[in-house]
Amino acid sequence: METEIDRMKKMPIEDFLARLGHHPVQRRANAVWYRSPYREEKTPSFKVNPEKNLWYDFGEGKGGNIFALAGEFIRTDDFLAQVKYVAEMSGMPLPEHEPRQSSGVRQAGGQSFEDVEILPLQNRALLHYLQERGIPSAIAVANCKEIRYTMHGKRYFAVAFGNGSGGYEIRNPFFKGCVPPKDVTLLPSGSTVCNVHEGFMDYLSARALGIGNGEDHLVLNSVSNAAKAFRYLDGYGRINCYLDNDEAGRRTLEALGTRYGERVSDCSGIYGGCKDLNEHLQKTLAGRLTQHENEKKSKSIKM
């Protein structure tokens, strides 16, 4: 039976390095060249063989598999420490158990969350996951937590976003779920305007884009929770909706419009052509990067 360690060992070293912010300088047959990711150098001497999934640093005269590479980053030969580092950086479940606080067992759709522990968000792999989706670390840390839990005897970790009833929406690159109870999340600031988002990734995207600064925000955490939002939305003079551009989003907008009439504004035009606000954020950032690169090329040509 394949173990978690076996799966980690098979993770492409190129993907692992990319998660850490290191990208190839040159590609050749059966060889990808980098500047050493763990020491300073100008001439690339760090080689990855994608076929064998091995690396070799000609400058240091050493190489090996992904665990040996992790050892170079954290400066240790301790195998368990290397495994832990790979797990944290790749968002994979930890194969070993760590001492932790137990929060009992919670059920969600037949899934059992055991030994639930809520911590400040600081895991680098999780922060990198959010950054890949356009969410700056400062916004993520200010609005989210880190959850560690056991499921089916294995230990996992994810980004956690709390709701009004003590439950959490949880995300990592491989899993999307909820630690119940399920509920909406109100983020008040004393405004008479409330911005409604379908999921917490859209709310974080709004923060990143500067949407609704100084105003209240409400995250449905699922369109099925729309009725639960009424107890909060009834008191607002204006309700700006940033719902998904799909059938479920349109039905929810209609339901809110039926209840609140002209107080409801459909703001989905801001991200027309995108499924949701987070997709719009990612495309906006990609466009800015392309523009910046084109400007650099233009300047170099003129020089």
Side-chain angles (χ1 to χ4, degrees), residues 68 70 101 105 107 121 132 167 177:
Q101 300 280 331
V105 180
Q107 300 292 328
L121 178 57
E132 285 185 325

Side-chain angles (χ1 to χ4, degrees), residues 69-87:
L69 179 55
E72 293 301 316
F73 280 109
I74 59 178
R75 301 297 181 186
T76 181
D77 293 324
D78 185 281
F79 180 68
L80 291 180
Q82 295 170 0
V83 169
K84 181 180 178 182
Y85 184 79
V86 173

